[in-house]
Amino acid sequence: MPNFIAKKCKNLTLPFEKDGVKFLNLLKGRKVDFILTRANEELFFVTVKKKDDAYLFKGEKLTRPAKVGLLQKALEILRDEFCSEILNNSINFNKNSLTKNSSIIMSELEAIKALNGREKIAIEIGFGSGRHLLYRAKNELDKLFVGIEIYKPSIEQVAKLAIKQNIENLVLVNSDARTFIDLVGSNLVDTIYVHFPVPWDDSPHRRVISGEFMSEIQRILKVGGTFELRSDSRAYVDYSLIKFLDMDGVSIKVHKNRDLEISSKYEDRWKKQLKDIYDVWLKNLVKSGEKSWKDRLKFDILDINLVKQNFRHKVTKFSDFFLNFEEIYEFDSGELLIKLSFGAFDTPGNYFIKISKDKTEYFIAKPLPTDMNLKAHEKVKEQLAKWQIL
Ligand SMILES: C[S@@+](CC[C@H](N)C(=O)[O-])C[C@H]1O[C@@H](n2cnc3c(N)ncnc32)[C@H](O)[C@@H]1O
């Protein structure tokens, strides 16, 4: 993350504008201050933290702009206009970073939009080195392939290979498949591949396949769409078959030691060790209802003074998620900004809520409308309502 440390800084008199970057507001917090900044229509925060007897300026992680160059440019302006005695300068601005943005790599919501109007869609979960995914995309040009991978270096490596090979029917998303699948519309997908998932034989609850996950998989598959599990772990296959047999409206096929046109890195390793390889194909036979999560991340109008008066730092744990009200900030205009985090214990998210006189809303980055986030959002609303009491 680009940053700099300065020993001396003048008072920031805002708003201030230079070279298309607007510094709009200073929000004072207990430990960190935020500078609300706008560049190229993107809104983000620069944070200022007092560190020993110097000031550390850097981007705020949650609102970081898509093009890192915008943040670097903002930091350069703050450094040159307001600060002196620079102790550390790690901004690394170069003009390319204002335009660089690989179009194959998308956020979850961008990828969901990319599915609109596509007739044939395939998803690979945990594509690793991408051998199978790239091969399929190159050979099935009438389909849009979406690769979901939790490990970021794999995303970057496979994006480079896809660009080199001019593959255009491919989208890569750095996400937990369990979150992504929740967001996909019903009855849209032709094929979902999960090849050689991490077996987690000692902690089965960490496996990507679960009863809940499979009902979401069935919801997004077309009638006749298939979910294809390929694994060398007999324990994983037995476990999955039990889950599949609990489902209604599906048919199941099992193969042993079937050769595919393309062999993945893991597969090569197991084949050398003469291990058996199992395929379990689940075909969906029923049409699913639409999910109605639109507009469910809204707030009621709140009284600013009561929230300001009653706000407390507060962590609440529920059976499968938590809620952490972290900090409150005030704009010059009197509007409030609450920083909070919530979500599943292993995939939490950080958010801001802006409270104005006539509107309360998630600020800059909205939570993804996953089932877990919708549940947490209801609890956020309950807590805010409790702070409405005199
Ligand atoms: C054992 S590797 C197999 C990779 C590839 N399918 C192959 O056959 O070579 C499992 C992959 O799944 C990814 N993965 C694990 N859990 C995931 C999740 N919840 N969502 C997306 N990817 C996940 C891992 O990062 C890893 O790349």
Side-chain angles (χ1 to χ4, degrees):
M1 183 75 94
N3 67 79
F4 70 90
I5 300 175
K7 185 129 193 178
K8 285 197 177 149
C9 291
K10 288 193 280 189
N11 257 352
L12 294 169
T13 33
L14 304 185
F16 176 85
E17 181 172 356
K18 192 178 173 194
D19 296 341
V21 182
K22 290 183 190 164
F23 301 96
L24 301 163
N25 248 303
L26 179 68
L27 287 86
K28 291 225 164 263
R30 278 179 307 156
K31 297 180 195 147
V32 179
D33 294 342
F34 288 146
I35 303 169
L36 180 61
T37 307
R38 183 190 293 281
N40 270 21
E41 295 314 309
E42 283 207 60
L43 266 182
F44 55 94
F45 288 120
V46 173
T47 65
V48 188
K49 189 173 181 182
K50 188 118 200 301
K51 209 181 163 199
D52 305 325
D53 50 356
Y55 298 90
L56 166 66
F57 286 71
K58 62 178 185 175
E60 192 280 320
K61 257 197 294 192
L62 170 63
T63 58
R64 188 188 151 121
K67 295 187 179 86
V68 69
L70 298 176
L71 172 62
Q72 292 166 324
K73 197 169 161 193
L75 288 171
E76 280 203 341
I77 296 171
L78 289 168
R79 182 195 63 199
D80 298 345
E81 294 294 327
F82 296 100
C83 301
S84 55
E85 295 189 39
I86 306 301
L87 302 179
N88 178 47
N89 184 25
S90 312
I91 300 180
N92 301 325
F93 177 64
N94 79 53
K95 285 208 170 98
N96 285 342
S97 48
L98 278 176
T99 50
K100 214 169 86 186
N101 195 1
S102 169
S103 61
I104 257 191
I105 303 176
M106 293 190 184
S107 70
E108 284 107 336
L109 288 182
E110 284 167 340
I112 295 297
K113 276 190 205 144
L115 303 182
N116 279 343
R118 299 300 295 234
E119 213 169 292
K120 291 189 180 173
I121 298 167
I123 297 179
E124 178 160 354
I125 292 171
F127 56 77
S129 67
R131 251 199 240 173
H132 174 260
L133 181 63
L134 292 168
Y135 175 86
R136 289 265 179 202
K138 264 193 295 192
N139 286 282
E140 296 172 41
L141 293 172
D142 59 334
K143 270 190 196 156
L144 175 70
F145 281 81
V146 182
I148 314 293
E149 176 51 67
I150 209 162
Y151 185 55
K152 200 164 182 192
S154 294
I155 293 268
E156 282 158 4
Q157 194 191 347
V158 174
K160 272 189 209 147
L161 293 172
I163 291 166
K164 220 171 165 181
Q165 296 173 40
N166 294 321
I167 298 177
E168 289 181 351
N169 54 332
L170 177 62
V171 163
L172 303 176
V173 187
N174 185 201
S175 176
D176 186 320
R178 290 165 289 194
T179 304
F180 184 79
I181 295 296
D182 248 14
L183 303 170
V184 178
S186 304
N187 313 299
L188 285 185
V189 183
D190 293 273
T191 319
I192 301 170
Y193 301 100
V194 179
H195 284 187
F196 302 95
V198 184
W200 292 117
D201 283 343
D202 296 329
S203 10
H205 65 281
R206 300 185 71 173
R207 290 173 173 159
V208 71
I209 289 179
S210 67
E212 243 177 35
F213 179 76
M214 287 314 298
S215 68
E216 283 297 284
I217 289 285
Q218 184 173 23
R219 181 185 63 75
I220 69 169
L221 281 175
K222 287 178 181 164
V223 175
T226 54
F227 175 83
E228 302 191 5
L229 168 68
R230 188 165 171 83
S231 177
D232 60 291
S233 160
R234 179 64 196 262
Y236 201 128
V237 169
D238 289 347
Y239 158 93
S240 303
L241 264 173
I242 291 172
K243 302 278 173 215
F244 297 174
L245 288 166
D246 279 343
M247 297 168 72
D248 293 321
V250 296
S251 68
I252 301 163
K253 247 189 198 169
V254 183
H255 298 273
K256 192 167 165 183
N257 296 328
R258 199 174 148 273
D259 265 333
L260 291 187
E261 313 92 280
I262 182 78
S263 176
S264 80
K265 219 169 87 181
Y266 278 85
E267 186 164 342
D268 284 350
R269 189 191 297 169
W270 306 138
K271 277 183 177 159
K272 263 190 212 137
Q273 294 178 16
L274 300 176
K275 280 187 89 176
D276 287 328
I277 291 173
Y278 305 91
D279 283 296
V280 185
W281 293 354
L282 176 123
K283 189 192 259 191
N284 174 42
L285 306 175
V286 291
K287 193 161 180 204
S288 298
E290 282 305 325
K291 222 177 167 178
S292 62
W293 40 251
K294 280 195 185 92
D295 294 336
R296 283 181 49 198
L297 285 164
K298 296 231 157 117
F299 292 100
D300 301 326
I301 294 174
L302 298 168
D303 182 306
I304 297 183
N305 290 327
L306 289 177
V307 176
K308 190 171 153 187
Q309 196 176 302
N310 293 323
F311 176 90
R312 298 279 175 279
H313 167 69
K314 187 169 181 186
V315 183
T316 320
K317 286 186 186 160
F318 301 92
S319 60
D320 50 354
F321 68 94
F322 75 95
L323 183 57
N324 181 6
F325 283 89
E326 292 176 23
E327 187 63 276
I328 191 162
Y329 301 87
E330 192 169 352
F331 287 84
D332 299 339
S333 56
E335 293 163 308
L336 300 178
L337 187 78
I338 290 180
K339 184 165 189 258
L340 76 168
S341 51
F342 60 71
F345 297 105
D346 52 347
T347 51
N350 298 292
Y351 309 101
F352 291 106
I353 297 172
K354 185 178 174 196
I355 305 175
S356 316
K357 223 170 86 193
D358 51 3
K359 201 175 186 186
T360 296
E361 61 188 343
Y362 287 105
F363 192 54
I364 305 183
K366 250 192 169 187
L368 293 169
T370 59
D371 289 340
M372 188 69 78
N373 284 347
L374 289 168
K375 264 202 295 194
H377 173 75
E378 290 306 314
K379 294 291 175 193
V380 172
K381 277 172 57 177
E382 275 176 29
Q383 182 57 60
L384 289 171
K386 284 186 192 155
W387 286 331
Q388 287 297 283
I389 293 162
L390 271 173

